Amino acid sequence: MPTPPRTSRDQIITAGYTLLNELGLSAVTMQAVATRVGVRAPSLYKHVADLPALRALVADAAARDLATHLAGLDQLSDMAHALRTWALAHPHAFRLTFSGVGSPETMATASASLLRASASIAGNADALNAARLLTAWATGFITMELAGAFQLGGDVDAAFRYGIDRITAALTTRNPPPASTTGTPGPSH
Amino acid sequence: MPTPPRTSRDQIITAGYTLLNELGLSAVTMQAVATRVGVRAPSLYKHVADLPALRALVADAAARDLATHLAGLDQLSDMAHALRTWALAHPHAFRLTFSGVGSPETMATASASLLRASASIAGNADALNAARLLTAWATGFITMELAGAFQLGGDVDAAFRYGIDRITAALTTRNPPPASTTGTPGPSH
DNA sequence: ACCTGAACACCGTTCAAGT
DNA sequence: ACCTGAACACCGTTCAAGT
């Protein structure tokens, strides 16, 4: 006898994302998510394959959330600051986004807007490399900040601004760029 | 009746580090580590507080392993390449090192030598910021590479070289640096 | 068509009992 | 002083049974 679903994939992903932000990845369990959507754990298997799959979907949700917070910005420095602001407010989501748990497109989605902004500063030929450089630096900086690597000293806000200034300068001084030595830019991010 | 220990903290950490490299963090369990050192899981509690503590010790071991691979290098670009080479050979260890699971000093230990090399390129006043910039970029680049963010296109080796060139240039052009706007460097990393 | 309880395998942790 | 088996709580996953 057919019965209507008592929950949905979207509801499950949302519950998982909430648990991630409030308690961390280890709290994103089948049982906790099931309880939160009002069913028993075995029911989730009608909607997601297993726990790793659920966590991958939560990682994608995190990337979409981040993308929302970057949308509408066109200054590279504004985007870098927005990335850091979001990461400090959602540390578990940030780590999961860049952990490789999500689909291969997850991070590309999150940082797609960075590519547009990079293209306007560096030449188009170097836009891919420039976007990668800025994204990698900001990601690494925030990763280290969240991990406590900077806790012993210095003004972390100032260090972040220093990095943006230096990198923006490094990318701008090469505009228009000489013939690139790095091959043709690929489609990724 | 006193009896001699049948295992040791070092042996336990080594077993955990081996499991980490071979199978990933999720394989570093009390039971798997105990089996590997030839005792039962409850015995481990005589040597480590609990599983999170064991994983923190494994993270520290990873940082020390990385530091070993960076020791003896003085060129910034050599160190960046050595970091990447080690990370690609030990992806789980790399991720754990920069995950914040270890002690606060873990990452500082791993990247201490980067500070020395940075000081010789940028002024001493900017050495801390410069070291942070390079470490953050390399960490973020490798994180994204391991997560598959670059898999869709381009020459990743070339992109890494591009980043080193651009960053080294950005740090060198400011040598000696003007009065820094970023306050006094702290003792961290 | 979806949800459930029962079952199984597995893991972290505690603790009384062994040596 | 260290190790063990037994026990308990908890989690992932499967599946026959319910509606």
Side-chain angles (χ1 to χ4, degrees):
Chain A
M1 278 298 151
T3 55
R6 226 160 292 176
T7 185
S8 70
R9 194 178 162 97
D10 275 1
Q11 205 181 145
I12 288 164
I13 294 169
T14 300
Y17 189 49
T18 301
L19 281 166
L20 174 71
N21 283 315
E22 292 180 354
L23 297 166
L25 217 216
S26 68
V28 182
T29 66
M30 297 300 265
Q31 310 223 3
V33 169
T35 299
R36 210 162 218 292
V37 300
V39 299
R40 301 287 183 169
S43 303
L44 298 185
Y45 291 83
K46 286 286 162 183
H47 300 96
V48 299
D50 52 21
L51 181 62
L54 199 173
R55 289 181 171 179
L57 292 168
V58 171
D60 292 341
R64 285 194 303 274
D65 186 25
L66 170 57
T68 295
H69 283 256
L70 296 184
L73 302 175
D74 31 15
Q75 290 287 341
L76 256 190
S77 61
D78 288 348
M79 297 180 45
H81 277 110
L83 172 62
R84 181 161 172 254
T85 299
W86 180 83
L88 296 181
H90 306 85
H92 300 293
F94 172 82
R95 274 188 283 248
L96 185 61
T97 299
F98 293 93
S99 73
V101 155
S103 63
E105 297 82 15
T106 298
M107 280 178 300
T109 300
S111 53
S113 33
L114 282 162
L115 181 57
R116 277 190 297 102
S118 294
S120 66
I121 264 199
N124 273 323
D126 266 357
L128 177 67
N129 281 332
R132 281 177 172 173
L133 197 157
L134 184 91
T135 309
W137 166 76
T139 301
F141 186 100
I142 296 164
T143 297
M144 296 178 71
E145 181 178 8
L146 290 177
F150 298 155
Q151 75 186 7
L152 291 181
D155 180 337
V156 180
D157 288 349
F160 195 75
R161 269 182 266 118
Y162 168 93
I164 292 181
D165 290 351
R166 294 276 90 200
I167 288 175
T168 304
L171 299 179
T172 309
T173 49
R174 208 154 110 124
N175 186 10
S180 172
T181 61
T182 56
T184 55
S188 174
H189 113 258
Chain B
M1 274 297 153
T3 56
R6 226 161 291 176
T7 185
S8 69
R9 194 177 163 97
D10 274 1
Q11 206 182 144
I12 288 166
I13 294 170
T14 299
Y17 188 50
T18 303
L19 282 165
L20 174 72
N21 282 316
E22 291 179 356
L23 298 166
L25 216 216
S26 67
V28 182
T29 66
M30 297 300 265
Q31 308 222 4
V33 170
T35 299
R36 210 162 219 290
V37 300
V39 299
R40 301 288 184 169
S43 302
L44 298 184
Y45 292 82
K46 286 286 161 185
H47 300 96
V48 298
D50 53 20
L51 181 63
L54 198 172
R55 288 182 173 180
L57 291 168
V58 171
D60 293 341
R64 284 194 303 274
D65 187 24
L66 170 56
T68 296
H69 283 254
L70 296 185
L73 303 176
D74 31 15
Q75 291 287 341
L76 256 191
S77 62
D78 287 348
M79 295 179 47
H81 277 111
L83 171 62
R84 180 163 173 254
T85 299
W86 181 82
L88 296 182
H90 305 85
H92 300 293
F94 172 83
R95 274 188 283 247
L96 186 61
T97 300
F98 293 94
S99 71
V101 156
S103 61
E105 297 81 16
T106 299
M107 280 178 300
T109 301
S111 53
S113 32
L114 282 162
L115 181 57
R116 279 190 296 102
S118 294
S120 65
I121 264 200
N124 273 324
D126 267 357
L128 177 67
N129 281 333
R132 281 178 172 172
L133 197 157
L134 183 91
T135 309
W137 166 77
T139 301
F141 186 101
I142 295 163
T143 296
M144 296 178 71
E145 181 178 7
L146 290 178
F150 298 155
Q151 74 186 5
L152 291 183
D155 180 336
V156 181
D157 288 351
F160 195 76
R161 269 181 266 118
Y162 168 92
I164 292 179
D165 290 351
R166 294 276 89 199
I167 287 174
T168 304
L171 300 179
T172 310
T173 49
R174 206 154 111 126
N175 187 8
S180 172
T181 61
T182 56
T184 55
S188 174
H189 116 255

